[in-house]
Amino acid sequence: MNDSNQIMIQLINAIIREAEHHLNKSSEFYPFAYAYTKGQLVPVNVFSGEELPSVKEHLSLLSTTLSDKYDTYAIGVNSTFRNEETNKPLDVIEIRMVIDGEEYVKCGMPYQLNDKDVVQTFDLIELE
């Protein structure tokens, strides 16, 4: 496995772990990110100056900050997609990755919250 694949796996695992933590704690989360720099993963936080910015504004600021400072990073987004087979909404931990300055295909991990608000995740899927 080459270094890019190992870094990609580390980023995916970090995003999923943190997303699961937030989902178990409060059933939702704002977009967040990890960057790979100097051989390690670091969390990247942004603050717009607003106490509760819209998700779109927060994601835009996060994306801009990351692309200005890092070549390799991943953003975790709480998303909903349509299941192509059932046409029903599907909650997904969406992962947007950039490796060495190149954007990768988005992937995601479907999830559902049980009656005790504990997250159950499923297999990683490719998102369009």
Side-chain angles (χ1 to χ4, degrees):
M1 187 178 310
N2 68 33
D3 286 345
S4 291
N5 287 342
Q6 289 176 339
I7 292 166
M8 197 172 353
I9 290 168
Q10 288 177 31
L11 286 165
I12 289 169
N13 288 334
I15 294 293
I16 291 170
R17 262 193 321 272
E18 184 156 336
E20 287 177 334
H21 168 77
H22 291 298
L23 289 167
N24 283 324
K25 187 175 177 185
S26 43
S27 304
E28 61 186 357
F29 60 88
Y30 262 91
F32 64 90
Y34 280 87
Y36 187 83
T37 183
K38 298 178 184 173
Q40 62 183 355
L41 292 182
V42 295
V44 178
N45 299 305
V46 294
F47 182 65
S48 68
E50 294 181 42
E51 189 171 325
L52 293 172
S54 73
V55 170
K56 186 177 180 179
E57 290 170 359
H58 184 76
L59 183 56
S60 176
L61 178 60
L62 188 58
S63 297
T64 300
T65 300
L66 287 161
S67 65
D68 287 348
K69 293 184 178 183
Y70 302 101
D71 289 332
T72 300
Y73 57 87
I75 301 172
V77 182
N78 195 8
S79 297
T80 302
F81 287 84
R82 281 262 166 227
N83 182 319
E84 291 179 8
E85 295 171 9
T86 65
N87 202 31
K88 292 183 179 177
L90 180 67
D91 292 324
V92 175
I93 300 165
E94 181 182 338
I95 304 167
R96 302 175 184 184
M97 279 185 286
V98 172
I99 307 293
D100 296 327
E102 296 292 323
E103 192 168 325
Y104 271 65
V105 173
K106 291 187 278 188
C107 61
M109 181 165 285
Y111 73 89
Q112 66 185 26
L113 297 173
N114 68 19
D115 57 350
K116 296 181 182 176
D117 286 340
V118 175
V119 70
Q120 176 186 2
T121 55
F122 301 94
D123 292 336
L124 199 63
I125 59 174
E126 184 176 327
L127 302 173
E128 292 182 17

